[in-house]
Amino acid sequence: MLGFGRKDWDDAAYARQMREACDRFSEEPSTDSEWTSFGRRLAYVRGDFLDAQAYRSLAQRLPDLDRRWRTEGNRMFFLATLPSLYAGIAERLGAAGLVNRDTEGPFTRLMIEKPFGHDLTSAQTLNDALHRVFREEQIFRIDHYLGKETVQNLLVLRFANSVFETLWNRRHIDQVQITASETFGVENRGAYYEESGVLRDMVQNHLLQLLALIAMEPPLSFQADDVRDHKVEVLRALRPLSGKDALDNVVLGQYGPSADGVMPGYRQEPGVAPDSVTPTYAALRVFVDNWRWQGVPFYLRTGKRLARGCVEVMIQFKAVPHCLFGDAQACERIEPNRLVICLQPGESIQFHFGAKTPGTVLSVDPVRMHFGFRETHPDGTLSPYQRLVLGALRDDASLFARADGVEAAWRFVTPILEAFETSPPDDFPDYAAGSEGPLEAELLLRRDRQAWRPLSD
Ligand code: BG6
């Protein structure tokens, strides 16, 4: 592994920094012997990201490392840099002869992290710039949500179990709720977050990716492009929300200080303007206009500094058409079946159904079947980044965002951003840190005579 950056380090200093970082951040600190074996494979080249000469130094150093590590000219560039530098770095890598575009010979791959642009136009510009140097198949765009074990489990649940697929459509599903609720605030990322806000930070990528996995058609195979083709179809089928439709179907919010004054409001966070109108919460009412999903609302919500930290997908099936058990009151207690997929924490899948209450009166109680991922697999699993880096090394792009998918997501989100830029909310902050979020988000569902389902425990 070779580090490339502006710090004035040599190989040894770089290796020391890496060891410190590993000891600090990894779940299992490495032993001295593990580190000796790994540390000697670390090298460093100093250079400015936009200086063409630095890339020539990099190019001179690599053949020697290829010989030592028997890497045969195969390269994967991971840009842990400001996203504004992606295009410039790709161009310079190409100009220095460091990119093999051919399918023959040693491979060259590029890994980058979101944000991939900040709206549709900038995403297209970035994709064009990357494609001038790399083929699309060489680019691995990380959405770390896709590396989560339980996110992959969504696909297994759907396509390895025939019982669900039969019910997975508008005839049987009443609504879908997708929640990514966080208890922490923007911490020390205020400056980044001011530019991004919740729609760019969470909705354009993570939430829409979850929606696409839930709503996609069965792919022909698990090959990257078969999966991604179907995910993109879902994103393209999202009913557009612009102007008044966006304002009517999307609620944005921003946290203020907690009721007890202990947690600061967003506007008090470092790097945030005291009159900022950047949203930290979003709730959306979304429709997928295709045969399978016509008329089924997908309610999405995500926010920072909320009461619960939880990522969850709730599929609610239609209610029984006619109640046989008891009077009107007893019938109201019969809840529709729900499949609740908790992605974190405590990954689990639960099926909620009605069972008879013990006793002489025939009435129904809500009960649930529970599958706990950790209980079944106590040894744990790979972290999202371990899974993604391995995926890219193995040339498996199924867990990475493709250019057309990124653009389709921006095509949906950009008009929403524009609608709120034209009519910025004037009631921020509108929810207290540590609360359930803005009241408006409740009202959005109440219009459909629905409510957010309580998150599972
Ligand atoms: C990141 C966002 O992409 O995902 C953060 O920038 C967010 O704002 C984070 O907190 C959530 O990821 P995880 O894996 O902690 O749920």
Side-chain angles (χ1 to χ4, degrees):
M1 193 179 93
L2 181 140
F4 177 69
R6 271 179 310 178
K7 293 269 170 42
D8 195 9
W9 291 333
D10 57 13
D11 293 353
Y14 177 62
R16 274 197 304 279
Q17 294 293 329
M18 292 299 105
R19 168 119 210 214
E20 259 178 57
C22 283
D23 287 348
R24 199 162 145 220
F25 296 111
S26 68
E27 279 172 20
E28 278 176 61
S30 40
T31 62
D32 282 339
S33 70
E34 281 168 341
W35 188 262
T36 314
S37 135
F38 179 67
R40 69 188 175 80
R41 287 161 201 269
L42 296 178
Y44 187 81
V45 169
R46 179 170 180 269
D48 190 286
F49 293 129
L50 297 181
D51 172 14
Q53 175 52 42
Y55 290 79
R56 285 195 280 277
S57 314
L58 180 62
Q60 278 163 10
R61 183 81 201 271
L62 286 171
D64 168 44
L65 301 179
D66 274 335
R67 270 190 300 278
R68 267 180 40 206
W69 301 335
R70 295 197 293 278
T71 38
E72 296 169 5
N74 294 315
R75 270 145 215 175
M76 188 160 90
F77 294 104
F78 187 122
L79 307 194
T81 67
L82 285 176
S84 54
L85 294 170
Y86 290 166
I89 294 176
E91 186 198 325
R92 285 162 183 78
L93 286 173
L98 286 167
V99 179
N100 173 22
R101 262 185 89 99
D102 292 343
T103 45
E104 302 296 314
F107 68 72
T108 314
R109 295 180 193 143
L110 179 75
M111 277 183 100
I112 53 173
E113 302 217 42
K114 79 170 182 65
F116 313 117
H118 53 89
D119 57 13
L120 178 58
T121 313
S122 55
Q124 287 168 328
T125 309
L126 174 62
N127 282 334
D128 290 347
L130 297 180
H131 289 155
R132 280 197 285 277
V133 185
F134 294 89
R135 283 179 293 110
E136 174 60 25
E137 298 72 43
Q138 296 176 281
I139 305 172
F140 293 77
R141 295 178 192 78
I142 297 181
D143 181 319
H144 80 280
Y145 256 53
L146 295 178
K148 291 181 193 276
E149 185 77 55
T150 34
V151 172
Q152 290 191 288
N153 208 11
L154 276 176
L155 290 179
V156 173
L157 178 78
R158 282 197 59 195
F159 301 124
N161 297 287
S162 61
V163 65
F164 295 120
E165 191 46 30
T166 330
L167 301 173
W168 215 258
N169 56 54
R170 62 191 297 273
R171 282 187 295 287
H172 302 286
I173 291 182
D174 175 67
Q175 60 177 284
V176 176
Q177 297 189 2
I178 304 177
T179 303
S181 148
E182 299 179 325
T183 50
F184 47 86
V186 293
E187 324 271 270
N188 52 5
R189 299 162 75 220
Y192 150 77
Y193 203 86
E194 278 285 87
E195 297 287 311
S196 132
V198 66
L199 288 169
R200 293 185 173 95
D201 186 52
M202 290 293 288
V203 176
Q204 187 272 344
N205 34 70
H206 307 325
L207 261 64
L208 290 186
Q209 288 292 335
L210 290 181
L211 186 154
L213 290 169
I214 293 156
M216 69 190 269
E217 294 301 315
L220 284 178
S221 77
F222 256 58
Q223 296 293 316
D225 279 334
D226 286 341
V227 173
R228 299 190 299 178
D229 285 348
H230 285 312
K231 280 170 60 190
V232 177
E233 266 176 20
V234 174
L235 298 173
R236 286 178 45 216
L238 290 174
R239 187 176 303 168
L241 291 176
S242 61
K244 185 169 177 314
D245 284 341
L247 302 178
D248 284 350
N249 289 287
V250 179
V251 169
L252 297 182
Q254 187 193 73
Y255 63 87
S258 55
D260 59 8
V262 172
M263 288 185 275
Y266 176 69
R267 291 178 177 182
Q268 285 79 53
E269 303 276 14
V272 173
D275 55 354
S276 169
V277 286
T278 302
T280 59
Y281 180 99
L284 298 88
R285 177 173 175 272
V286 170
F287 289 89
V288 178
D289 281 337
N290 63 15
W291 274 58
R292 187 186 282 264
W293 295 113
Q294 192 52 244
V296 179
F298 284 74
Y299 301 115
L300 317 183
R301 64 177 162 167
T302 179
K304 299 229 175 272
R305 279 274 190 245
L306 293 169
R308 291 279 310 274
C310 178
V311 181
E312 193 172 284
V313 174
M314 193 279 304
I315 317 278
Q316 180 162 310
F317 294 89
K318 297 216 158 150
V320 288
H322 175 61
C323 170
L324 300 176
F325 307 106
D327 56 15
Q329 234 183 347
C331 281
E332 259 184 31
R333 276 171 41 90
I334 302 185
E335 295 188 358
N337 294 129
R338 294 196 312 274
L339 186 66
V340 179
I341 303 150
C342 174
L343 305 171
Q344 69 185 50
E347 300 92 329
S348 66
I349 299 175
Q350 299 164 25
F351 184 67
H352 296 237
F353 61 104
K356 183 182 170 300
T357 321
T360 50
V361 183
L362 197 57
S363 82
V364 179
D365 261 346
V367 294
R368 60 188 171 186
M369 290 194 266
H370 174 97
F371 160 70
F373 203 86
R374 302 271 156 177
E375 292 143 35
T376 317
H377 305 289
D379 291 342
T381 169
L382 298 180
S383 73
Y385 272 87
Q386 284 173 320
R387 191 186 314 281
L388 292 171
V389 171
L390 269 175
L393 284 170
R394 291 176 179 157
D395 202 18
D396 175 4
S398 54
L399 297 178
F400 294 86
R402 203 171 59 185
D404 55 347
V406 169
E407 290 177 19
W410 278 121
R411 199 164 282 115
F412 175 70
V413 168
T414 303
I416 304 176
L417 288 164
E418 285 166 358
F420 282 96
E421 267 152 32
T422 317
S423 315
D426 54 12
D427 58 349
F428 279 4
D430 60 350
Y431 71 98
S435 72
E436 298 288 336
L439 176 65
E440 282 283 305
E442 298 297 329
L443 302 180
L444 179 71
L445 266 66
R446 224 175 276 170
R447 277 193 342 229
D448 292 350
R449 296 168 173 266
Q450 298 295 353
W452 295 103
R453 296 297 318 181
L455 296 167
S456 57
D457 13 89

